[in-house]
Amino acid sequence: MKRTTGQDRSITQGWRPATRAVRGGTARSEFGETSEAIFLTSGYSYDCAEDAAARFAGEQAGMTYSRLQNPTVEMLEHRIALLEGAEACRAAASGMAAMTAVLLCQLSAGDHMVGGRAAFGSCRWLTDTMLPRFGIETTVVDARDPQAFADAIRPNTKVFFFETPANPTMDVVDLRAVCDLARAHGITTVVDNAFATPALQRPMEWGADVTAYSATKMMDGQGRVLAGAVCGTEAFINDSLLPFTRNTGPTLSPFNAWVVLKGLETLDLRIRRQSESALEVGRFLEPRVNRMLHPGLPSHPQHNLAATQMDACGPIFAFEVEGRAQAHALLNALGLIDISNNIGDSRSLMTHPASTTHYGVAPEKREEMGVTEGLLRLNVGLEDPADLLADLDQALTMVGL
C-alpha cells in the first residue's frame, strides 16, 4: 500500500478541515482504487520467518495482526488525527471502549481522577462505579466552574475527564481555564468531544492533552455502526494507550472503520446543516417549553463561552417540560421524529434521558446532574426543518404546550 499524493505531513498540515475529512490518511493498493479499500483480514503473512521475527521485535515496518494494525483502520486513525490536529489516534470498537481505555491505560490503584458531573450515563458509571472498584479515587464536580476542579486537586490527581457540551444537559466547560489549570499541576486532561467533533471544536487548540470520541455519533452520522477513537501525542498513544488496547482487545473492525471513513467525507456538510436546523428548532420550542438548554441560544448561561470555543453548537440540545408523564406523552405524540436514545444520526431523534440513557444513574445523582424527569434530548437531523417544526407543533399542542 502506498499513501496517495499529498499524504506527507508537511503538505496535509496545510489542508483545510473539509479537505482533510475527504482525503486525509488515504492509502491505495496497487489497484489504484479511489475509495478506500476494506481489508477484511485478521492476520498477515510474511515472506520468511525472519521477517515475522523482525516485525514482532519492532525492527521491520509492517502489520502482524488486526488486533494491532489493519490498513483500513489505520486510514481512519490518520484521518481523525488530521482533523483533530493531533499527532496520533487510536480507534476503538465503540465510544465506551475508547472512554474506558483512555482512563484505564493511565490510572492505577491509589491514583485520583476528577470528572465532570454532567456526563453520559455510562461515563458516570466509569467514574462512580468501575474506577473505585479498582482502587482509583474519583471526585465529581460541576465542570462549568473551573474553581471546582482546582478545589478537587489532590497530590495523587492524575486526570481531569469531562464532556463539553455535556450529555444531556449541554453544560459547557471553559476549556482554556481547566486545561491550563491541569497543565500547571501535571494533570492529563481528557475531553469527550463527541457532541461537537473536530469539525466544530478542537479541544487541543485550547490546551487539552487527549480527546476521546464516540465515532458512532456524528462521525458516522447515519446510525450504522459503533466506533470510538482517542487522539493525543504519539507518546501517549503509543506508550500508554497502545499497550492497553493491544492486550485487552477493544478493536475496531475494518468494515466499521470503512463506514466511518465514508461518514467523515460529509461530516462538515452534515454537522453545519444540522446545527443551523437545530437553532431554528430551538428558537421555535423555547417559548413553549419550561426551559431550553441550547448553547447556541442567548438564553443559555454559557452562550458566550460556547461561541468562543465552538464554530457552531451542533445538532443536539435539550429542553424541559412538566415531568415524566408530559415528557413521555410528547414523545408518543411525535409522528416524524423517532423515539431513540442514539444521537448524531441524519434522522431526527428524541429521548427521555432519565428513563433511557441515564436510567442506570441513581435518582439523586440524576437530580444533581440536572437530568430531571421532564428533560428531553433532541438530535436534529437532515430533514427539512419545516417538517420538524410541524411535527413538534402538533405534538406540543396535543400535550397542552
Side-chain angles (χ1 to χ4, degrees):
M1 298 240 339
K2 60 180 180 180
R3 295 279 164 210
T4 54
T5 303
Q7 291 299 289
D8 179 84
R9 182 181 289 270
S10 64
I11 297 175
T12 57
Q13 290 301 319
W15 287 351
R16 292 167 177 80
T19 304
R20 293 180 181 182
V22 177
R23 296 279 187 171
T26 302
R28 288 179 178 152
S29 72
E30 66 273 19
F31 297 107
E33 65 279 350
T34 54
S35 180
E36 297 84 1
I38 308 176
F39 288 86
L40 293 176
T41 183
S42 57
Y44 306 88
S45 62
Y46 313 91
D47 291 337
C48 63
E50 289 76 13
D51 282 352
R55 288 196 197 177
F56 273 82
E59 298 167 355
Q60 182 187 91
M63 299 192 176
T64 59
Y65 193 56
S66 280
R67 176 159 47 84
L68 309 178
Q69 319 100 348
N70 177 276
T72 311
V73 176
E74 189 177 81
M75 283 189 274
L76 177 64
E77 291 169 342
H78 282 299
R79 185 168 297 178
I80 293 175
L82 273 173
L83 286 171
E84 189 69 37
E87 292 180 2
C89 171
R90 181 78 178 169
S94 68
M96 285 313 303
M99 303 304 161
T100 304
V102 78
L103 296 178
L104 286 182
C105 79
Q106 58 181 318
L107 290 168
S108 301
D111 289 340
H112 175 247
M113 186 194 80
V114 182
R117 73 180 184 190
F120 177 52
S122 294
C123 288
R124 279 298 301 262
W125 183 86
L126 292 181
T127 60
D128 298 353
T129 303
M130 189 194 75
L131 293 180
R133 185 182 297 169
F134 291 98
I136 300 165
E137 299 177 287
T138 61
T139 301
V140 176
V141 301
D142 183 347
R144 295 171 297 183
D145 179 12
Q147 187 59 44
F149 282 95
D151 293 342
I153 294 174
R154 303 177 187 175
N156 58 338
T157 303
K158 298 294 179 64
V159 172
F160 286 171
F161 176 53
F162 57 87
E163 306 169 7
T164 183
N167 183 3
T169 56
M170 308 308 294
D171 291 0
V172 178
V173 179
D174 188 330
L175 284 167
R176 175 68 72 196
V178 175
C179 293
D180 283 354
L181 174 67
R183 189 151 294 180
H185 288 83
I187 296 168
T188 300
T189 305
V190 178
V191 180
D192 179 346
N193 195 38
F195 268 32
T197 81
L200 298 183
Q201 178 176 261
R202 292 158 296 283
M204 289 183 180
E205 294 180 357
W206 300 91
D209 298 299
V210 180
T211 55
Y213 290 97
S214 172
T216 307
K217 308 304 190 267
M218 288 302 305
M219 288 186 180
D220 169 24
Q222 291 162 76
R224 299 169 294 190
V225 298
L226 300 180
V230 178
C231 295
T233 63
E234 288 184 357
F236 178 84
I237 297 298
N238 294 329
D239 299 340
S240 296
L241 185 65
L242 179 56
F244 180 89
T245 58
R246 75 182 295 169
N247 291 299
T248 58
T251 307
L252 181 63
S253 77
F255 178 78
N256 287 15
W258 181 84
V259 172
V260 178
L261 278 165
K262 297 295 99 181
L264 287 176
E265 292 180 1
T266 59
L267 172 62
D268 189 75
L269 295 172
R270 287 184 287 102
I271 201 166
R272 292 182 187 278
R273 165 67 186 274
Q274 288 174 254
S275 294
E276 293 172 1
S277 295
L279 272 175
E280 185 175 347
V281 173
R283 292 189 188 103
F284 170 80
L285 284 172
E286 188 164 28
R288 299 178 65 172
V289 299
N290 290 11
R291 188 162 72 115
M292 173 58 61
L293 297 169
H294 190 317
L297 295 175
S299 58
H300 192 282
Q302 297 159 295
H303 170 69
N304 291 336
L305 176 61
T308 300
Q309 295 179 169
M310 305 178 72
D311 297 336
C313 288
I316 305 154
F317 64 89
F319 60 92
E320 283 187 351
V321 295
E322 195 61 49
R324 179 179 292 209
Q326 190 171 64
H328 279 195
L330 180 59
L331 287 168
N332 292 336
L334 295 169
L336 171 62
I337 299 168
D338 289 322
I339 303 171
S340 177
N341 50 282
N342 196 23
I343 50 174
D345 203 309
S346 58
R347 302 159 187 82
S348 291
L349 313 171
M350 194 187 297
T351 195
H352 178 247
S355 58
T356 58
T357 59
H358 290 67
Y359 171 78
V361 179
E364 63 275 11
K365 289 184 179 179
R366 287 202 301 263
E367 191 69 27
E368 176 190 273
M369 294 165 66
V371 182
T372 65
E373 288 295 314
L375 189 73
L376 290 163
R377 189 193 65 199
L378 175 59
N379 171 89
V380 176
L382 288 169
E383 303 95 343
D384 190 305
D387 291 328
L388 298 177
L389 298 186
D391 189 34
L392 288 164
D393 181 52
Q394 64 81 26
L396 290 164
T397 301
M398 193 173 294
V399 300
L401 292 172

